[in-house]
Amino acid sequence: MKKKVLAVVLGMSMVVAMMTGCGASKETSDSANSAEKTYTIGISQFAEHGSLDNCREGFIEGLKEEGLEEGKNLKIVTNNADADTGTAAQIADQFVADKVDMICAIATPSAQAAYNAAMETDIPVVYTAVTNPVAAELANDDKSPVGNVTGTSDELPVEAQLKMIREILPDAKTIGILYTTSEANSVYSIEQYEKLADKYGFKIEKTGITNTSEIQLAASDLLGKVDCLTNLTDNTVVSALPTVLGLANEKGIPVFGSEIEQVKLGCLAAEGIEYTQLGKDTGKMAAKILKGEASASEMDYELITESSLYVNEKVAENLGITVPDTMKERAVESFTEITEN
């Protein structure tokens, strides 16, 4: 009898152990499933050019540094709007229809389109390379988001740029700016140039365009009125920068860029931000949101305030311009050749 009871007790113990084991196994399985979740991010890039490409690459790198890696626990779908706002809207609508976990929008028009498309959903939007999120109606004056949207700003260091131009061209009087009238970031940047130009003895001459087909004629006309051009982070203009540079070189007029890639392509110099780092910062913000550590609707946008000097000595040589040694010494990078686009 005792043996029977013992057998029953032992049997019950085994059953309990098996049940406990199954519970532990289930918990482990659930945890594993959670850890193995694959997130899908739709990247909407407004145009294809160096600074925005660097933003995209930095964004992916920032995600990777936070443990979200493409091919492991991350799927990335990238679409380019080719500097067309209508296409940007279509891309955003498709991402929403596909129910991606997040939209990363690179440049102001794509950010505006993505926010508008995702507004009635729970899909967070993270933007980068948006010069003025407030002017773009993506943020409030205190940097807080207007909805489930946040990101990073690439606001131009306008005063540093003006100071640099004056240092290189001590006799210049008029700076020309070519810009897209529909780009909120460009309109804002020109306002900053106009506010500060007089402080450095400059007059600003601006010409607006609506699309790339107008750039050649507009640039030709503008070059006849100025001593130099300064380029914004205007996506439509930047995507046609080789055209602008070609026309300017024919007239021997220097063009100043707004970041490193433009200087590589043939701009004389630039005081600009580092776009790969901007993208990384954005990627880290996105990772926090996807992991549930933060909400886009509660994250203020971030702004890089430090600028870096880039100089193309080959362009200076071609134009017969002497770059002061003090500038060469403080330049983060100097180039001795012009990169073919």
Side-chain angles (χ1 to χ4, degrees), residues 143 153-158 160 271-274 278 281 301-308:
K143 292 188 177 180
S153 167
D154 65 341
E155 182 170 347
L156 289 173
V158 173
E271 275 281 357
I273 65 170
E274 216 287 294
L278 185 73
D281 291 348
Y301 75 81
E302 296 181 3
L303 172 67
I304 290 181
T305 56
E306 293 183 7
S307 64
S308 299

Side-chain angles (χ1 to χ4, degrees), residues 176-228:
I177 302 178
L178 191 64
Y179 74 106
T180 307
T181 55
S182 61
E183 283 205 29
N185 57 317
S186 297
V187 174
Y188 171 77
S189 294
I190 286 179
E191 289 173 356
Q192 305 315 302
Y193 267 106
E194 291 177 329
K195 286 179 184 177
L196 294 165
D198 189 58
K199 180 178 178 180
Y200 293 91
F202 289 119
K203 174 189 173 185
I204 301 297
E205 186 76 37
K206 61 188 180 184
T207 297
I209 60 162
T210 59
N211 56 63
T212 53
S213 67
E214 299 173 6
I215 287 179
Q216 184 155 354
L217 185 59
S220 296
D221 180 63
L222 185 60
L223 286 165
K225 306 173 183 177
V226 302
D227 298 302
C228 66

Side-chain angles (χ1 to χ4, degrees), residues 3 13 39 96 100 114 121 210 232 237 252 275 287-288 315 327 340:
K3 287 184 179 179
S13 298
Y39 300 96
V96 169
V100 297
T121 75
T210 59
L232 308 177
V237 176
Y275 276 83
K288 287 182 180 179
V315 174
M327 295 189 74
E340 293 294 330

